[in-house]
Amino acid sequence: MTKLKKLALDRNQMTGRIPNEIFSLTQLFWLGLDTNCFNGKISNQLHSLKNLELLSLHDNRFKGSIPTSLTQLRKLCKFLHVIL
């Protein structure tokens, strides 16, 4: 699955933290995790997804600030998130 380019897991009532396995999908350009029940802090490991162009995290239960490591995602042009 390392060649996976698009992962849409939105609206699945997923809970807990973002699964660590997602961070090994380095070819992803689209990651949709919105409208679930993820909680805790947004992981700094998102910076490992260097090809990410769209990241959608809105309508979850994240707390804390948006990690500064997201600035390392040079291809990211759409970041959809609600105020924490």
Side-chain angles (χ1 to χ4, degrees):
M1 279 220 305
T2 56
K3 294 185 180 185
L4 190 67
K5 302 220 182 242
K6 183 176 180 180
L7 183 60
L9 296 174
D10 50 306
R11 296 177 181 90
N12 280 299
Q13 299 178 356
M14 298 179 81
T15 60
R17 297 182 184 262
I18 298 172
N20 287 333
E21 293 79 8
I22 288 177
F23 307 124
S24 65
L25 303 173
T26 56
Q27 296 302 310
L28 280 182
F29 74 88
W30 177 295
L31 179 57
L33 299 175
D34 57 271
T35 319
N36 282 293
C37 295
F38 288 117
N39 58 41
K41 291 185 176 186
I42 298 172
S43 177
N44 281 328
Q45 292 183 38
L46 281 168
H47 81 277
S48 64
L49 304 176
K50 302 285 186 207
N51 292 306
L52 214 53
E53 295 176 15
L54 181 137
L55 175 59
S56 182
L57 299 175
H58 64 86
D59 293 325
N60 279 288
R61 297 179 180 157
F62 293 115
K63 294 182 180 178
S65 58
I66 297 171
T68 57
S69 62
L70 290 183
T71 61
Q72 296 174 19
L73 299 175
R74 301 287 183 218
K75 295 181 180 182
L76 189 64
C77 55
K78 290 186 181 180
F79 177 57
L80 308 173
H81 190 50
V82 295
I83 296 174
L84 299 171

